[in-house]
Amino acid sequence: MHGDPMMWVAGIRALYLQALHQRAVRGVTQNSDFRRDAWGRLMRTADFVGTTTYGTTEAAERAGARVRKIHSMLTATDPDSGERYGVDEPELLLWVHCAEIDSYLHVLRRSGFPLTDAQADRYIAEHRAGARLVGLDPATVPADRAELAAYFTRVRPRLAAGPEAREVDEFLLRPPVHPLLVPARALLWRRVALLAYAALPPYAQELYGRPAPAPAAVTRRLRATGALLRRIPARLRWQLPPKHILRAMARLGPDARPAPAKLRP
């Protein structure tokens, strides 16, 4: 699944969703200048996901250790109460994890990636290993679609589109780029960001207060975008940094090439 090009749309959806948890998003906005280092941050996230997906066990453990160490040194402050808290609180780590996994699964399936319900449950369960790497107890992490849905039902009353979420929304629509790339941002990036926003659950769109097309229209756009991007040869797509898939194939042999046809029941 992680070799599919629609993962980029899914990743942007995850950012929109994650920003609705005010304590979690403050951990980002108060500890980094994400506007100046947006692309670096996105690439570091992609590198972590790629390492834990396609790297060796040792590389994944090292990546997890780095993330845990960084998180252990960071805090954020609630502007209303003055409370100072660590960004590695289990509640915050769990929200980030679940928003990511839900977004990856939702966008890929809705865009036409062939995944049965049983395989979707297996995908969620497999990601408890990644949750452990960032410091969560796997026993506390949803293991299937039903548990993931129940988690979002519990957490929804605590979500809000606060000032930080508005800042993330503005950034995702108009990320800083070189002046010569502004037309490309308007033509390409903005469409991708709007599609990711449209793929959010209705309650998230209500919190942001910006309407989205009808669900059927969004599904058609996701399928059309997925069909178009999947026509780009995989070998060409995989040349983009950080090339985790190509390195894994070099290490494990050509039979390790990821492909939807290899999905097991």
Side-chain angles (χ1 to χ4, degrees):
M1 284 179 63
H2 288 185
D4 191 89
M6 289 299 287
M7 280 287 289
W8 289 101
V9 177
I12 298 172
R13 180 192 189 265
L15 294 175
Y16 270 118
L17 195 54
Q18 289 165 350
L20 293 175
H21 194 299
Q22 295 187 88
R23 288 172 69 88
V25 72
R26 285 173 189 144
V28 175
T29 59
Q30 294 183 16
N31 286 285
S32 66
D33 188 351
F34 71 93
R35 281 188 170 274
R36 289 189 179 182
D37 188 33
W39 303 114
R41 185 176 181 85
L42 286 173
M43 290 308 299
R44 287 191 293 273
T45 300
D47 185 55
F48 179 79
V49 174
T51 298
T52 55
T53 304
Y54 299 108
T56 64
T57 299
E58 294 76 12
E61 292 289 351
R62 287 195 301 270
R66 284 195 301 271
V67 169
R68 295 194 303 273
K69 182 178 180 180
I70 293 171
H71 285 174
S72 70
M73 298 185 292
L74 301 179
T75 60
T77 302
D78 186 318
D80 298 321
S81 67
E83 176 197 2
R84 197 161 187 83
Y85 56 91
V87 303
D88 59 353
E89 286 186 352
E91 174 193 353
L92 309 186
L93 296 177
L94 184 59
W95 168 252
V96 171
H97 171 85
C98 290
E100 284 184 358
I101 301 312
D102 178 74
S103 294
Y104 298 161
L105 191 59
H106 179 88
V107 169
L108 263 67
R109 294 191 85 187
R110 198 170 173 187
S111 67
F113 191 90
L115 210 66
T116 66
D117 288 346
Q119 289 167 336
D121 285 341
R122 178 182 159 205
Y123 176 79
I124 295 170
E126 286 178 352
H127 272 281
R128 287 180 296 175
R132 177 187 63 79
L133 289 173
V134 299
L136 284 165
D137 177 358
T140 67
V141 178
D144 56 31
R145 288 170 300 124
E147 291 183 9
L148 188 61
Y151 167 78
F152 280 110
T153 298
R154 291 195 305 271
V155 79
R156 273 176 61 177
R158 301 199 293 275
L159 303 181
E164 296 87 356
R166 301 294 178 187
E167 188 177 359
V168 170
D169 183 23
E170 172 64 21
F171 165 78
L172 289 175
L173 288 175
R174 299 175 186 85
V177 296
H178 189 281
L180 294 177
L181 296 177
V182 170
R185 180 184 67 182
L187 180 64
L188 299 175
W189 175 266
R190 186 175 175 85
R191 292 186 179 185
V192 173
L194 289 173
L195 181 58
Y197 177 87
L200 285 168
Y203 69 82
Q205 294 163 355
E206 290 174 8
L207 290 173
Y208 276 110
R210 196 166 73 249
V218 175
T219 299
R220 288 195 297 270
R221 287 173 56 191
L222 286 167
R223 286 185 171 271
T225 303
L228 176 64
L229 293 178
R230 289 167 189 140
R231 290 177 67 89
I232 302 172
R235 278 282 185 175
L236 180 60
R237 290 189 273 107
W238 296 341
Q239 291 293 336
L240 294 173
K243 300 185 179 182
H244 287 292
I245 294 177
L246 294 179
R247 291 205 295 268
M249 290 169 58
R251 185 178 74 249
L252 301 172
D255 289 342
R257 181 184 187 278
K262 293 184 177 181
L263 284 170
R264 299 196 304 273

